[in-house]
Amino acid sequence: MTEPVLTVTSLVKRFGPVVAVDEVSFELMPGACLGIVGESGSGKTTIARVLAGLERPTSGTVTLAGEVVRDHSRRARRWRARQLQMIFQDPYGSFDPRQSIARSIAEPLRLHRPGARERHRARVEELLDQVGLDARAGAALPRELSGGQRQRAAIARALAIEPRVLVLDEAVAALDVSIQAQILTLLDDLRRGTGIAYVFVSHDLAVVRHVTDTAIVMRHGRVVERGETGRILRSPQHPYTRLLLDSIPAPGWDLDRVARDRRALDPHPAHGESSCSTSTT
Amino acid sequence: MTLTIPALRAATAGRRRRRPLGVTLAVAFLALATVTAVLAPVLAPHPPDATSLLNSLAPPGTEGHPLGTDSTGRDVLSRIMYGARLSLLAPLGVVLLSGLLGTAVGLLAARAGGWADAVLSRGMDIVFAFPSLLLAMLVVAVFGPGLTAPICALAVGYTPFVGRVVRSMAIQEGARPYMECYRVMGFGEWSVALRHLLPNMLPVLLAQSALAFGYALVDLAALSYLGLGVRPPDADWGSMIAEARSAILQGEPWSGLLPGLAVILTVVSVNVLGEHLGGAVSGKQRAGT
Ligand SMILES: Nc1ncnc2c1ncn2[C@@H]1O[C@H](COP(=O)(O)OP(=O)(O)O)[C@@H](O)[C@H]1O
Ligand SMILES: [Mg+2]
């Protein structure tokens, strides 16, 4: 029996009166891919940031590779970094603008995989190759690359640490649709090749269908539906999931029905639009 | 060759962009002043304290004394060359000390945030509002004349000058997403500050230091002029001006005007250089966005 590589138990995160994440639990098996979907403001990014150690949970636990993540000592942070890495939505801001992509990728290598300089250089080339970038892109500054290239570089930098879990927060949302498909294909190949597990955060159901096996649907910080991604999309159980599906522009798209669903779900649309309710209803 | 075309283009463009004439002159003058100061024992035609009462107040152009002599017959050129040592070294000390202090306080304030930031920032405001020269004079009143005390006092006085810039840049730069990327990768906060924050602020720090150098030089010269700085037989440009007071009243201003000119040229050069460095930074930022 295999152990989950990541377990989240009753995670709560409050920002003052705002409950951004409310009693969320899930687990992730090695090499699996879990989708977290929901509208903007539903708490997806907050979960991702808690996982990456950028926010402390108000309560609840995160268990990585069988160990409960607790303190924020330097050693603990390095250990956590070796288990879990994160890709941010904005590929423009993810790099020090002053140094070349290759240098940025070499930095985590030096921290986590000490070794000879030549070994590192060879490994950087290997990583660049793995994500479909050439040596020219490696020598370039971040601003000289396209958004898609930068996101590939960010993936290479995360892979340098060889984490067991990669959290991707809207990793393709800022990219053109055709580039999105390329990056998603790359992620799929990488997962097959390395056995890394993904937590794939997205508001885009089409994208989630592409890459994830299982998914949780979030609303106002809570999980309203969970299960196999295909099943959720084929026969959604929760009215909110149905609303999300109906909200995708498609042939025969019925705006009136979307509005009706929304009213049925939330009697005060002005409140329910994007903000998290302060007290759970 | 792994040089990319864009990188190559950027490099050549950087090299081809002409440096303004004023900046070239400023760098040349500062280089000359530095060399003169370092090599004063070799280059100076006379010992700085060799008096010759028979040959006092000789005008510039006198044989053996290209810049003339002062009221006790000492060679003005030699004294300016020797005086450059203290006149340049002391402000450099102020700049280095205030640079270190300011960087530390600025980073600390930016990193701590909250009430600690408020305390440090208001503290810097108070020091900033307090005239540095007055602070230095108070310190001299307590510790007696000499250069060490005023250098330390001025360094404290100029700390906000650097600290405020470092703080605001650290907050601005620290909010950039790449900083969080380093945290997620497991890097320590201070190592990120040293390896990424400071290098990105370095041009601004240099520009700021150049300006502080000019101010410190003038302040220290003023202290020496008031007799609160260097003690004879040591000399800097400020004390040379002070010693020329009576000669100036006698209508022989050279021995005071020339060290004064040295002060002015140095300060102007340093300011021109500082402004150029600061301008280059904002230009680069514009190109980057
Ligand atoms: N640092 C913060 N301070 C205060 N409120 C926050 C902060 N981060 C997120 N929130 C709030 O938490 C809720 C969830 O936000 P977020 O996790 O970004 O959602 P999503 O990623 O699904 O769009 C929102 O109501 C947001 O305003
Ligand atoms: Mg988000």
Side-chain angles (χ1 to χ4, degrees):
Chain A
M1 197 191 87
T2 48
E3 292 269 297
V5 65
L6 169 69
T7 309
V8 172
T9 315
S10 303
L11 185 70
V12 177
K13 178 66 189 177
R14 287 199 195 91
F15 295 105
V18 178
V19 185
V21 177
D22 193 4
E23 292 282 330
V24 168
S25 303
F26 59 83
E27 49 185 48
L28 180 70
M29 299 309 274
C33 184
L34 172 79
I36 301 183
V37 294
E39 289 176 311
S40 131
S42 56
K44 308 182 299 293
T45 294
T46 306
I47 292 180
R49 290 174 60 84
V50 168
L51 292 180
L54 290 171
E55 307 277 3
R56 273 172 200 251
T58 307
S59 66
T61 57
V62 174
T63 310
L64 269 170
E67 284 191 45
V68 176
V69 179
R70 264 205 199 86
D71 67 332
H72 278 231
S73 73
R74 181 171 295 200
R75 284 237 344 252
R77 279 189 26 213
R78 281 199 197 167
W79 177 83
R80 176 200 282 245
R82 278 196 284 275
Q83 310 304 317
L84 181 145
Q85 279 300 302
M86 176 167 173
I87 303 287
F88 292 82
Q89 168 171 2
D90 172 25
Y92 298 89
S94 295
F95 289 91
D96 184 339
R98 206 175 37 92
Q99 62 187 27
S100 74
I101 293 295
R103 244 189 93 183
S104 287
I105 296 176
E107 275 181 301
L109 269 182
R110 278 203 299 272
L111 182 70
H112 291 285
R113 313 274 157 201
R117 194 173 270 254
E118 291 74 44
R119 287 267 303 281
H120 282 163
R121 195 169 306 150
R123 179 80 180 116
V124 168
E125 247 170 67
E126 203 177 287
L127 285 162
L128 284 171
D129 189 57
Q130 220 177 342
V131 298
L133 292 175
D134 55 14
R136 254 185 60 169
L141 290 176
R143 67 161 175 269
E144 292 163 352
L145 299 186
S146 69
Q149 284 177 310
R150 257 175 275 195
Q151 207 57 298
R152 286 172 189 270
I155 293 168
R157 184 174 60 177
L159 291 181
I161 304 177
E162 298 170 35
R164 296 205 232 176
V165 180
L166 190 60
V167 178
L168 301 112
D169 184 16
E170 306 277 7
V172 297
L175 305 175
D176 293 346
V177 176
S178 64
I179 310 290
Q180 279 189 4
Q182 290 176 16
I183 299 289
L184 294 177
T185 310
L186 169 70
L187 286 171
D188 222 35
D189 293 346
L190 287 174
R191 183 156 66 105
R192 273 180 237 289
T194 61
I196 193 173
Y198 293 153
V199 175
F200 195 94
V201 174
S202 178
H203 68 281
D204 189 337
L205 290 171
V207 165
V208 168
R209 170 163 34 203
H210 235 84
V211 283
T212 68
D213 326 315
T214 55
I216 58 178
V217 180
M218 305 247 331
R219 177 165 194 256
H220 294 184
R222 299 196 140 197
V223 177
V224 293
E225 183 156 5
R226 65 173 76 227
E228 195 209 323
T229 311
R231 201 273 305 150
I232 292 179
L233 297 180
R234 254 190 334 271
S235 56
Q237 301 299 304
H238 194 278
Y240 175 68
T241 316
R242 224 166 290 141
L243 170 69
L244 284 183
L245 281 169
D246 288 345
S247 305
I248 301 173
W253 190 30
D254 187 350
L255 271 180
D256 284 339
R257 197 174 71 197
V258 174
R260 233 180 299 122
D261 287 355
R262 165 79 65 191
R263 273 196 299 278
L265 200 61
D266 211 327
H268 310 292
H271 286 282
E273 217 50 41
S274 67
S275 71
C276 225
S277 58
T278 51
S279 58
T280 43
T281 42
Chain B
M1 289 264 52
T2 51
L3 207 60
T4 60
I5 306 275
L8 197 64
R9 217 182 292 135
T12 48
R15 220 174 295 135
R16 222 176 280 143
R17 197 179 341 124
R18 255 238 233 96
R19 197 185 274 166
L21 180 65
V23 176
T24 311
L25 287 178
V27 170
F29 179 80
L30 291 174
L32 178 75
T34 310
V35 169
T36 307
V38 173
L39 296 180
V42 182
L43 295 177
H46 301 277
D49 44 5
T51 56
S52 154
L53 289 174
L54 293 179
N55 203 6
S56 68
L57 291 178
T62 307
E63 208 188 331
H65 300 288
L67 296 184
T69 58
D70 67 6
S71 50
T72 52
R74 296 175 294 195
D75 182 49
V76 171
L77 176 61
S78 304
R79 285 181 66 72
I80 288 182
M81 291 173 104
Y82 274 95
R85 306 184 124 191
L86 283 180
S87 291
L88 297 180
L89 211 55
L92 192 65
V94 173
V95 164
L96 290 180
L97 274 178
S98 63
L100 279 177
L101 266 174
T103 306
V105 173
L107 284 182
L108 206 64
R111 151 102 180 61
W115 64 267
D117 178 21
V119 168
L120 286 172
S121 295
R122 291 301 81 71
M124 285 199 282
D125 288 347
I126 291 168
V127 175
F128 192 73
F130 201 87
S132 308
L133 191 57
L134 191 57
L135 187 68
M137 285 166 68
L138 289 175
V139 170
V140 171
V142 175
F143 293 98
L147 273 182
T148 320
I151 285 176
C152 294
L154 288 181
V156 171
Y158 289 153
T159 292
F161 204 63
V162 178
R164 286 167 145 198
V165 175
V166 168
R167 176 184 166 275
S168 73
M169 284 193 71
I171 288 175
Q172 197 188 339
E173 196 73 18
R176 305 259 298 256
Y178 80 85
M179 289 290 167
E180 289 202 323
C181 292
Y182 281 104
R183 276 176 61 197
V184 173
M185 287 189 282
F187 285 92
E189 230 152 313
W190 288 105
S191 104
V192 174
L194 286 182
R195 298 220 308 243
H196 298 280
L197 210 56
L198 276 184
N200 281 327
M201 309 195 295
L202 204 59
V204 175
L205 271 182
L206 281 177
Q208 205 71 356
S209 301
L211 295 176
F213 183 92
Y215 289 133
L217 200 159
V218 171
D219 279 356
L220 286 163
L223 280 178
S224 292
Y225 178 81
L226 295 172
L228 302 172
V230 294
R231 303 263 74 192
D234 286 343
D236 67 0
W237 296 336
S239 67
M240 287 177 70
I241 301 171
E243 286 165 10
R245 264 179 292 196
S246 59
I248 292 169
L249 293 179
Q250 288 168 34
E252 303 281 355
W254 294 110
S255 58
L257 283 187
L258 288 167
L261 194 64
V263 170
I264 292 169
L265 283 178
T266 308
V267 172
V268 168
S269 299
V270 156
N271 281 357
V272 166
L273 190 62
E275 220 147 87
H276 178 68
L277 289 175
V281 173
S282 53
K284 210 193 288 163
Q285 280 174 345
R286 237 176 286 125
T289 48

